[in-house]
Amino acid sequence: MTDQGDFEHTGIGEGDLLAYLDGDVAPALARHIAHCVLCQRDLVALTALDARFSAALLRADCPSAETLLEYTASLLAPQIARQVDTHLAACADCRAEFALIAAPAALSLAERVMQSGRNLLRAVLLPPPLLATSTLRGAAPVRHHYTAEKYEILLSIVPPLAPGGTFTVEGQLGDAVPGEVRLLRDELLLRSDIIDDLGFFAFDALAPGVYTLQLQLGNSVMQVDALSVGEA
Amino acid sequence: MSIADMPHFSLEQVAAGCRAEAERSRSTELGYCFELFRRALEQLDQAAWQAVVAQYQRLILRWLHGVGLSTDDTLAEDVAHEVIERFWRTLAGRCTPLTARFPHVGALLKYMRQCAVTTVLDRRRSERQRERLLEQAQHAYQLDLPVATAGEDDIVERIARSEQLHRVRAWVKAEVGDPLEQLVLRLSYSDDLSPAEIASRYPEHFADAALVRQIKERVLRRARRALLDSGTDAAEPLSD
Ligand SMILES: [Zn+2]
Ligand SMILES: [Zn+2]
């Protein structure tokens, strides 16, 4: 250690190395630290510890996420629940986590299908054939072609015969599979129909609106979302 | 069929009844599904618990997907397993009768979903720790210190996984009693403030950033003797 600037190593005080890490020391001191083997060794140890402290003390006073869960579900002893109360009042991180855990958790339609242990297959709308229905006007049915894994389904939305009348939705499966079809709106079951031997099913007397269809096929449920009936 | 008859049914009957019930989304009922949970959590019936797992695993995976967990299948399955474990650990044998805390199966499923959220939050907390370790390793690297030769990710992984973080926490609890030192540690590491920020926010305690650094370095030097120079695994500095 010959070229260590104007400083003797013994002149290095508490805080100097951290100041060096922050780029906040006089040039002569910086020169010494940059070239002194002992200082460099110290620095390595200090940065290693600094990193460990930084990770270890991150939210060190916070209750575990599981404690927040048990707090939410009133599973904690009253005394511990009071401690969590106090902590929540002071800690924004925990408040944010608590809000996520406690958020009301109504099950969606899809989740209820999953809950039954069945596969949920989302039907994908295929593009219309080139000679699309755009040239047809008036009371022509609108046809949609959907697919989901091995299943194919053709849906026809038949408009009312007279203005103000009701719609009919007719469906046909590519391969006739026994099963049940349900018609839902706003996640509520409206009606159901059985798929016949030829793969047909139908729902008539429908008001305009956006519907969901669920076809129960074996261990899968094929779901057609956002089926627009009589709405642009 | 009423809930009172259920205890006499076979597990197969109850599990099949639960599947049918779930399809009709009768989540507010005290029916077959609730009976399945009751046998598992009140009576600690292992077969009933397996039936619960089989029935709801897919739903848990879907929840996890819904909160943006990676689509990596094996990871999601691991996390789903943690969710199920947590549900079991926090409820089994603890709520008798189950109806006292959970009036119907919908309430149990809501709690199960909260277990899923909690498990994801746990992962986020560890990720934040890793990020911090990585930031510091990168900082050292920029200063051209002789560290990080093994690759930053490896080092971070090694430290985050080991018991070292627990040891640091235990050491601080036992050895840092001075209120000013405690304040500097909290502000530096829990609130992530620089010495200059600490000095400007708490001028009544710290005349300048140099004083904050002095206190911080003093604590780190003491910790070094206790944690790094003890000849154990923790003795490795960041480089090796
Ligand atoms: Zn030196
Ligand atoms: Zn907190």
Side-chain angles (χ1 to χ4, degrees), chain A:
Chain A
M1 282 162 273
T2 48
D3 181 19
Q4 296 167 10
D6 307 327
F7 278 82
E8 284 300 314
H9 181 73
T10 46
I12 301 291
E14 272 174 356
D16 284 343
L17 294 181
L18 288 179
Y20 174 79
L21 289 176
D22 288 345
D24 195 17
V25 289
L29 181 54
R31 263 199 312 281
H32 168 88
I33 294 172
H35 293 98
C36 169
V37 175
L38 293 177
C39 282
Q40 287 287 306
R41 195 183 294 161
D42 264 6
L43 266 182
V44 170
L46 276 187
T47 48
L49 269 171
D50 196 40
R52 276 164 203 172
F53 269 67
S54 176
L57 299 187
L58 174 70
R59 302 190 58 190
D61 298 328
C62 292
S64 70
E66 186 161 303
T67 301
L68 291 178
L69 167 76
E70 293 177 306
Y71 173 83
T72 312
S74 313
L75 293 167
L76 291 178
Q79 188 201 346
I80 297 173
R82 273 195 299 277
Q83 288 171 7
V84 176
D85 268 337
T86 312
H87 180 84
L88 279 175
C91 176
D93 282 332
C94 283
R95 276 201 304 278
E97 289 184 341
F98 169 71
L100 283 175
I101 296 171
L107 295 184
S108 74
L109 197 57
E111 280 162 353
R112 275 181 266 152
V113 170
M114 308 297 292
Q115 187 179 311
S116 71
R118 293 184 188 225
N119 269 324
L120 180 70
L121 307 177
R122 296 255 183 210
V124 178
L125 182 61
L126 295 175
L130 283 177
L131 279 174
T133 50
S134 59
T135 52
L136 303 168
R137 293 267 180 257
V142 179
R143 285 164 179 278
H144 297 304
H145 187 183
Y146 291 91
T147 176
E149 290 192 2
K150 63 183 176 179
Y151 301 108
E152 275 192 55
I153 171 181
L154 199 62
L155 288 180
S156 302
I157 299 163
V158 186
L161 292 172
T166 57
F167 289 77
T168 300
V169 171
E170 294 171 351
Q172 186 185 11
L173 272 161
D175 291 310
V177 181
E180 192 192 359
V181 187
R182 294 165 177 193
L183 183 75
L184 303 98
R185 194 172 180 183
D186 299 329
E187 306 230 326
L188 291 173
L189 178 64
L190 295 179
R191 270 180 264 165
S192 62
D193 191 23
I194 300 294
I195 300 168
D196 72 17
D197 297 344
L198 296 171
F200 286 101
F201 60 89
F203 295 101
D204 58 8
L206 297 176
V210 179
Y211 295 84
T212 299
L213 273 186
Q214 284 186 340
L215 289 81
Q216 308 214 340
L217 309 163
N219 199 35
S220 300
V221 173
M222 175 176 176
Q223 181 164 312
V224 178
D225 289 307
L227 178 67
S228 174
V229 172
E231 292 190 338

Side-chain angles (χ1 to χ4, degrees), chain A residues 15 22 24 42 49-50 52 54-56 63 66 70 74-75 97 101 111-112 115 117-119, chain B residues 23 25 55 58-59 86 89 94 101 114 125 129 132 136 164 169 189 213 217 220 224 228:
Chain A
D22 288 345
D24 195 17
D42 264 6
L49 269 171
D50 196 40
R52 276 164 203 172
S54 176
E66 186 161 303
E70 293 177 306
S74 313
L75 293 167
E97 289 184 341
I101 296 171
E111 280 162 353
R112 275 181 266 152
Q115 187 179 311
R118 293 184 188 225
N119 269 324
Chain B
E23 278 171 27
S25 347
Q55 171 83 19
R58 224 196 291 261
L59 180 65
R86 170 163 277 144
R89 182 173 62 241
R94 275 182 71 185
R101 189 77 71 204
Q114 291 174 328
R125 284 193 188 190
Q129 282 187 333
R132 283 206 166 179
Q136 305 269 345
Q164 296 186 31
R169 235 174 267 160
Y189 297 116
R213 285 196 200 101
E217 196 171 315
L220 288 178
R224 178 186 176 183
L228 291 191

Side-chain angles (χ1 to χ4, degrees), chain B residues 176-228:
Chain B
V176 182
D178 179 77
L180 265 196
E181 289 182 351
Q182 287 172 344
L183 186 61
V184 166
L185 287 189
R186 184 165 66 74
L187 297 173
S188 301
Y189 297 116
S190 200
D191 300 353
D192 212 11
L193 299 177
S194 71
E197 287 169 325
I198 294 172
S200 77
R201 287 193 201 185
Y202 297 87
E204 70 277 25
H205 294 303
F206 311 104
D208 53 19
L211 178 58
V212 178
R213 285 196 200 101
Q214 212 176 312
I215 295 171
K216 193 170 160 185
E217 196 171 315
R218 185 191 310 152
V219 176
L220 288 178
R221 282 179 190 283
R222 279 210 319 273
R224 178 186 176 183
R225 283 193 292 278
L227 297 170
L228 291 191

Side-chain angles (χ1 to χ4, degrees), chain B residues 23-239:
Chain B
E23 278 171 27
R24 297 193 301 276
S25 347
R26 293 158 92 167
S27 63
T28 55
E29 259 188 13
L30 279 171
Y32 288 102
C33 293
F34 193 89
E35 172 66 9
L36 210 53
F37 278 110
R38 194 191 64 78
R39 290 184 187 192
L41 299 171
E42 261 183 35
Q43 301 179 346
L44 309 182
D45 174 339
Q46 279 303 312
W49 174 243
Q50 288 313 315
V52 166
V53 173
Q55 171 83 19
Y56 294 107
Q57 199 157 26
R58 224 196 291 261
L59 180 65
I60 292 172
L61 281 170
R62 192 186 160 78
W63 286 333
L64 293 173
H65 192 70
V67 291
L69 201 79
S70 145
T71 48
D72 176 338
D73 281 347
T74 42
L75 172 72
E77 271 170 29
D78 285 351
V79 181
H81 188 72
E82 281 176 45
V83 173
I84 288 169
E85 292 249 282
R86 170 163 277 144
F87 182 81
W88 172 263
R89 182 173 62 241
T90 52
L91 293 187
R94 275 182 71 185
C95 300
T96 305
L98 201 55
T99 42
R101 189 77 71 204
F102 300 97
H104 49 70
V105 76
L108 279 162
L109 289 180
K110 180 176 172 183
Y111 182 72
M112 193 182 269
R113 186 169 174 167
Q114 291 174 328
C115 288
V117 174
T118 302
T119 305
V120 172
L121 290 176
D122 257 348
R123 299 216 149 217
R124 282 196 201 147
R125 284 193 188 190
S126 328
E127 268 162 34
R128 266 185 76 192
Q129 282 187 333
R130 266 154 229 251
E131 278 165 20
R132 283 206 166 179
L133 286 168
L134 197 57
E135 275 166 27
Q136 305 269 345
Q138 278 162 348
H139 185 53
Y141 184 74
Q142 283 158 7
L143 281 165
D144 209 17
L145 291 176
V147 296
T149 46
E152 286 150 15
D153 289 344
D154 286 356
I155 292 159
V156 166
E157 205 45 47
R158 213 155 33 109
I159 298 175
R161 236 193 338 234
S162 73
E163 291 297 300
Q164 296 186 31
L165 300 186
H166 292 288
R167 291 188 55 198
V168 169
R169 235 174 267 160
W171 182 85
V172 168
K173 216 171 190 174
E175 306 294 333
V176 182
D178 179 77
L180 265 196
E181 289 182 351
Q182 287 172 344
L183 186 61
V184 166
L185 287 189
R186 184 165 66 74
L187 297 173
S188 301
Y189 297 116
S190 200
D191 300 353
D192 212 11
L193 299 177
S194 71
E197 287 169 325
I198 294 172
S200 77
R201 287 193 201 185
Y202 297 87
E204 70 277 25
H205 294 303
F206 311 104
D208 53 19
L211 178 58
V212 178
R213 285 196 200 101
Q214 212 176 312
I215 295 171
K216 193 170 160 185
E217 196 171 315
R218 185 191 310 152
V219 176
L220 288 178
R221 282 179 190 283
R222 279 210 319 273
R224 178 186 176 183
R225 283 193 292 278
L227 297 170
L228 291 191
D229 300 339
S230 60
T232 65
D233 165 50
E236 323 167 41
L238 267 177
S239 62

